Amino acid sequence: MASLSSTAHTIPPVLRFRATDSKSLSDSFSKVVAPAKSRVIACCVRSENLVKLGAGVILSRGPVVKRSLQKRVVIRSATIEEIEAEKSAIEKDVKTKMEKTIETLRTSFNAIRTGRANVAMLDKIEVEYYGSPVSLKSIAQISTPDGTSLLLQPYDKSSLKAIEKAILSSDLGMTPNNDGDVIRLSLPPLTSERRKELTKVVAKQSEEGKVALRNIRRDALKSYDKLEKEKKLSEDNLKDMSSDLQKLVDTYMKKIEELCKQKEKELLKV
């Protein structure tokens, strides 16, 4: 069914009508609009279940007026559970990387010799074995007969020369004694000058560890920023998570400082 009205005093004439279904709209168009040679500017078909926007309906001999249709976009905020899940995943990754950084630093400190023999001093020694670099620990048994020497027993005696060469080219500052069966390493007393040099090495490695932690924090912040841009986090969420991240970084920074002080104390101990 359709209803029609006209504004005769309007120049140019304007015809307006409503249709409750597409058939009524079509009939009205063929009976009224087509003979009058009017132009369809907008139309609107309404029913109980559907409002169908085409161009909504004013008929006129005047210029065609274009009406833009805008889509409504609904953005759903993340739930508390989703926010916590995202935060937990990023924090877990951060902790794993930071723990690895601490472990790497601890291994480096152990390789720096103090006044007492320690098998960890040889952790970083790699030997060219059958054309490939391998860890010294993987091809020889290492022990400490006393507090001032190390004993190396290779599983394959043919590797003795290669082990000896690797030790000489390292920064251990020790001369290996190869008797054809085993290699003995004697630790000379640390001079005051050497202790100071090693203390500087410790400080340098500590700073490298801190830089690694800062890089981990930077990557985590980028992940947080990405979640905010995706509208999964609000600005307040981002601030809270960044604050928690900084607290975590501070905790691991303190661990590095503690390891550094402990190693320096060992080096300076008479």
Side-chain angles (χ1 to χ4, degrees), residues 11-210:
I11 299 175
V14 176
L15 300 176
R16 297 182 176 87
F17 66 88
R18 295 177 181 175
T20 57
D21 53 64
S22 58
K23 186 176 184 305
S24 299
L25 180 64
S26 178
D27 292 343
S28 299
F29 183 85
S30 61
K31 292 177 181 179
V32 179
V33 179
K37 297 182 180 179
S38 296
R39 277 187 274 181
V40 177
I41 297 177
C43 63
C44 180
V45 180
R46 292 180 178 272
S47 67
E48 293 180 358
N49 300 321
L50 175 67
V51 175
K52 183 178 180 182
L53 296 178
V57 158
I58 294 180
L59 306 176
S60 172
R61 289 196 185 104
V64 175
V65 179
K66 295 181 179 179
R67 182 180 300 173
S68 62
L69 301 178
Q70 297 180 344
K71 292 183 178 180
R72 183 177 297 175
V73 179
V74 178
I75 299 175
R76 182 182 69 83
S77 299
T79 64
I80 295 177
E81 290 77 10
E82 290 172 337
I83 293 172
E84 286 299 324
E86 294 282 4
K87 178 183 177 183
S88 178
I90 294 174
E91 283 188 349
K92 183 179 179 181
D93 182 59
V94 167
K95 285 182 179 180
T96 299
K97 291 178 179 178
M98 289 188 177
E99 284 292 345
K100 187 175 180 180
T101 298
I102 295 297
E103 188 57 35
T104 299
L105 184 61
R106 186 178 284 112
T107 300
S108 297
F109 283 174
N110 287 338
I112 298 175
R113 82 177 183 91
T114 54
R116 189 171 182 83
N118 184 348
V119 294
M121 295 168 58
L122 305 178
D123 282 351
K124 288 190 173 183
I125 301 296
E126 288 192 340
V127 180
E128 193 73 19
Y129 188 60
Y130 288 104
S132 300
V134 297
S135 169
L136 174 57
K137 283 187 173 183
S138 68
I139 61 172
Q141 182 180 348
I142 306 172
S143 59
T144 54
D146 52 61
T148 60
S149 65
L150 292 167
L151 182 65
L152 286 65
Q153 294 178 297
Y155 303 122
D156 178 6
K157 289 185 179 181
S158 66
S159 64
L160 279 168
K161 287 291 183 181
I163 293 174
E164 185 177 5
K165 181 180 179 181
I167 293 173
L168 286 171
S169 61
S170 70
D171 59 356
L172 287 174
M174 291 185 285
T175 301
N177 180 10
N178 180 1
D179 65 5
D181 290 316
V182 298
I183 291 178
R184 288 182 174 83
L185 297 174
S186 296
L187 278 68
L190 283 176
T191 63
S192 176
E193 184 179 351
R194 180 59 176 165
R195 290 177 189 273
K196 290 180 181 179
E197 289 176 0
L198 292 177
T199 300
K200 292 178 180 180
V201 172
V202 169
K204 182 175 180 294
Q205 291 181 351
S206 296
E207 185 56 35
E208 289 172 353
K210 290 180 179 180

Side-chain angles (χ1 to χ4, degrees), residues 205-263:
Q205 291 181 351
S206 296
E207 185 56 35
E208 289 172 353
K210 290 180 179 180
V211 170
L213 293 184
R214 294 188 191 105
N215 289 338
I216 294 170
R217 177 186 60 188
R218 178 200 62 199
D219 293 341
L221 289 174
K222 285 182 179 179
S223 297
Y224 289 158
D225 289 338
K226 182 180 178 183
L227 291 176
E228 185 192 23
K229 289 177 181 178
E230 293 173 351
K231 305 302 181 183
K232 291 182 180 180
L233 292 179
S234 67
E235 186 176 348
D236 289 338
N237 293 146
L238 181 62
K239 288 181 180 179
D240 291 341
M241 293 171 75
S242 298
S243 177
D244 291 342
L245 175 63
Q246 185 58 53
K247 291 177 182 177
L248 186 62
V249 173
D250 291 341
T251 298
Y252 280 90
M253 286 287 190
K254 287 181 181 179
K255 287 185 179 183
I256 288 181
E257 290 172 359
E258 290 170 0
L259 287 174
C260 180
K261 288 179 180 179
Q262 182 181 346
K263 191 63 182 180

